[in-house]
Amino acid sequence: MTATIDELAPFRWLGLPESDGGGPPLGVIFSVAYFRGLGAAEVARRFSRGTDPGTVMGFDGLIERVWEFVEETEGGYGGGHVGIVEAGEWCVAVEPHGWLTILSDVVAELSRGCEMLSINRHDHASVSDLVYAIDGEIVTTFPVGRPHDRHGADPDLLNDLLAELGMYPDLLDDPPGTATPDPAALSQAFALAARITGVPFTRDLLDHPMLVARIADL
């Protein structure tokens, strides 16, 4: 089934540039990670290395803790906190002002004994990334907007889904204008995540109570 405009529409807010009203409520730097096979408490334990069982609060409370951490650390260490929501067989971990969940060593630790998919937006870096891992091993990963530039233990595993979503897994060269991800590329990445997990990352997911935990030195 080829992706339609309607399938991408619920995710366009995640990639809108600031000049077009994008940014809030997550900002232009964030990561979203999906975990299958772990409950929220275990996800919190892994992020905190067992130092924080987590506190249930709303998204506003998460953002408040994130910006307190950013001010204390001058922004160079991410947001320092993650908010976790259970959604069926998956948990979704939101990391505002963060990028840890696309780092290979962190992914290896977080994905032990489970399935994990993470997407990062970072408008101040050259690229954003998507990572899919199973039991500590990165299966496939690529820069958002450049899925042909993928690698991992089985980089072609998602090729059929990529093609259906118009993500062009077989291009030999970067298409024009892909130095940084455009809104459509991020929409496609989150549509891919929804197809794999069955969990659409829509705005209303942020209205659910979250288990908020500190992120340890991973």
Side-chain angles (χ1 to χ4, degrees):
M1 180 178 65
T2 302
T4 65
I5 292 175
D6 288 344
E7 184 175 1
L8 300 182
F11 311 111
R12 295 200 185 282
W13 66 281
L14 290 154
L16 282 177
E18 288 182 289
S19 59
D20 292 336
L26 279 174
V28 297
I29 302 173
F30 63 84
S31 287
V32 176
Y34 308 72
F35 297 88
R36 184 179 187 181
L38 302 180
E42 174 61 16
V43 174
R45 189 195 69 78
R46 292 192 181 197
F47 272 101
S48 71
R49 288 192 178 272
T51 63
D52 185 1
T55 303
V56 177
M57 62 179 68
F59 179 72
D60 288 345
L62 168 63
I63 291 297
E64 183 178 347
R65 290 194 176 187
V66 164
W67 286 115
E68 288 176 356
F69 181 85
V70 169
E71 289 179 4
E72 291 172 0
T73 59
E74 299 182 348
Y77 297 91
H81 296 78
V82 63
I84 306 153
V85 177
E86 292 191 352
E89 295 182 352
W90 294 76
C91 281
V92 181
V94 184
E95 184 192 4
H97 198 76
W99 50 85
L100 286 177
T101 61
I102 52 90
L103 302 181
S104 58
D105 54 340
V106 174
V107 171
E109 183 71 16
L110 292 178
S111 67
R112 284 182 298 103
C114 71
E115 184 178 353
M116 174 184 174
L117 186 148
S118 59
I119 301 168
N120 168 242
R121 175 180 178 177
H122 199 318
D123 282 16
H124 301 161
S126 58
V127 293
S128 298
D129 293 279
L130 182 146
V131 180
Y132 179 57
I134 298 176
D135 195 16
E137 182 175 53
I138 292 177
V139 178
T140 184
T141 180
F142 53 84
V144 172
R146 301 210 310 267
H148 52 286
D149 187 18
R150 62 193 177 279
H151 60 275
D154 189 359
D156 297 335
L157 180 67
L158 304 179
N159 278 14
D160 288 346
L161 286 177
L162 295 175
E164 289 174 5
L165 289 163
M167 299 174 77
Y168 306 112
D170 297 325
L171 284 181
L172 296 179
D173 300 305
D174 291 348
T178 55
T180 57
D182 61 24
L186 280 159
S187 300
Q188 289 168 329
F190 279 96
L192 175 66
R195 285 204 182 185
I196 293 171
T197 66
V199 181
F201 190 77
T202 52
R203 283 180 183 266
D204 60 358
L205 195 69
L206 300 179
D207 296 332
H208 289 69
M210 295 180 164
L211 185 64
V212 174
R214 294 188 304 272
I215 297 175
D217 184 7
L218 298 172

